[in-house]
Amino acid sequence: MSDTSKRGFASMDEDKQREIASKGGKAAHEKGTAHEFTSEEAREAGRKGGETTSKDREFMAEIGRQGGKHSHRGDRNDKNEQDDNDEEGKGTQGGSREQHAKAGRQSHKNK
């Protein structure tokens, strides 16, 4: 049997697929045959998608990690944000890595 996995629409890059699909959606709306979701249908679809996504524990863990990183960046704007591999030792919540290490050493003295 011949390999058909690299043919047609599926073989195109994602941007090209998105462009073609967008044209089809626009044409369907202009023609009046596109499905318009009601609020209830959209809510149900979102619920089902959430249930499916939440079954993937590793994916959910990654979402949590990303959310945590963003919530601890304070009020820095996009231009001044430091990346995840910050060489200056900052980026942890409430101070630098050095400050956390010092606080850890001090807390062990009190035991």
Side-chain angles (χ1 to χ4, degrees):
M1 184 171 209
S2 65
D3 181 20
T4 60
S5 63
K6 300 291 184 191
R7 296 174 49 188
F9 191 76
S11 69
M12 296 177 191
D13 66 46
E14 288 183 25
D15 290 334
K16 186 68 174 173
Q17 288 180 352
R18 198 172 289 113
E19 180 185 335
I20 292 170
S22 175
K23 288 178 182 178
K26 288 175 184 173
H29 278 281
E30 288 175 11
K31 188 177 175 185
T33 58
H35 180 74
E36 299 282 341
F37 281 93
T38 66
S39 295
E40 184 57 37
E41 287 174 319
R43 193 172 10 264
E44 179 68 9
R47 186 188 63 74
K48 287 180 180 179
E51 286 176 359
T52 301
T53 301
S54 66
K55 290 178 184 175
D56 184 345
R57 308 270 303 151
E58 181 55 37
F59 180 70
M60 294 303 290
E62 180 60 26
I63 290 172
R65 282 190 290 274
Q66 294 298 320
K69 287 177 186 175
H70 289 285
S71 70
H72 293 297
R73 287 188 174 161
D75 59 356
R76 289 185 255 167
N77 64 29
D78 290 326
K79 292 179 184 173
N80 293 328
E81 276 188 21
Q82 296 171 347
D83 65 12
D84 296 336
N85 297 322
D86 184 15
E87 295 175 15
E88 293 181 22
K90 295 186 180 176
T92 57
Q93 63 180 353
S96 70
R97 290 183 184 97
E98 291 81 12
Q99 290 170 323
H100 279 263
K102 182 179 179 183
R105 287 190 299 274
Q106 290 174 339
S107 69
H108 292 294
K109 290 179 185 177
N110 298 327
K111 289 187 178 183

